[in-house]
Amino acid sequence: MFTHEFLYNAVGMLSSLMFLGCLFGLVKQYRRINARKNDPQNSEAGYATRSLSVNSFFSSFVAFYAFFLYSIMLVEIDYYLFVTRLLAASMTLVVLYEIFRDRKPLSQRLPFLSGVLLMAVAILCIGVREDKLFIGRSASIFLAVGATLIMLQGGIQQIRKIREEKSTGALSLSMNVIFGMKDLSNIAFGLVIGFADGWPLIMTGTVSALTKAVVILQFYLFREKPAVA
């Protein structure tokens, strides 16, 4: 019979491995953007990040950030959550930076600037967590619920963008598959932690897994448009 501690560590390590996979997926997405940016056959503005919904990526950033903050505000910092969400939020911020560079409208550039500000706030929270533990945890739970709603509408926006353009463009299939697997591991980790502390993980993981499944389906319905010379 497995002990709770064994299950916690086993599922926590599995969740961490899935997040390493997410980092790999985000790196692939970043490399895909760079390859399109350096494509000599197409210098069209916005081509490098075509079909990428800034809304969707920012909602992913907010979800990673919410659980990064949540891990800080637990009575004992959960380092499985802390390290993996910090790395994933940082890498998502890199993709947002590429969108910031590739697009001119303020609505497309503001998410990156907001993300930088939020990361600065999180660093400040680490320094005062002992004094603000209860308030901080309440705020992080509220943020986790908000992040789930933002992620839901972000996923819907990404699906709409693909369907409007009838192309998956620069979007990475492997990244979305890995993210879907990560969401399933999040649900399992939330169940092992226990519903009292793990319900935000279960809720966010379920919503994210469903939206990722629909996004993945779009890759089989729409193919990328050929580059215009």
Side-chain angles (χ1 to χ4, degrees), residues 175-185 208-209 212-213 216:
M175 183 198 70
N176 280 280
V177 171
I178 293 169
F179 269 55
M181 293 172 64
K182 173 268 298 177
D183 293 327
L184 295 178
S185 72
S208 183
K212 285 293 182 292
I216 291 167

Side-chain angles (χ1 to χ4, degrees), residues 10-20 80-81 84-85 182 185-186 189 201:
V11 179
M13 290 177 66
L14 176 62
S15 180
S16 297
L17 287 174
M18 288 296 102
F19 263 89
L20 289 176
Y80 286 125
L81 291 177
T84 55
R85 271 56 175 188
K182 173 268 298 177
S185 72
N186 274 351
F189 193 40
L201 280 171

Side-chain angles (χ1 to χ4, degrees), residues 135-186:
I135 297 174
R137 189 177 182 194
S138 299
S140 61
I141 290 174
F142 177 78
L143 185 59
V145 174
T148 303
L149 296 176
I150 292 171
M151 179 178 291
L152 176 61
Q153 65 83 31
I156 293 171
Q157 187 66 22
Q158 178 66 80
I159 295 162
R160 287 181 60 190
K161 190 170 182 66
I162 294 171
R163 297 188 71 84
E164 285 172 3
E165 297 185 359
K166 300 190 184 312
S167 169
T168 53
L171 197 62
S172 168
L173 173 60
S174 58
M175 183 198 70
N176 280 280
V177 171
I178 293 169
F179 269 55
M181 293 172 64
K182 173 268 298 177
D183 293 327
L184 295 178
S185 72
N186 274 351

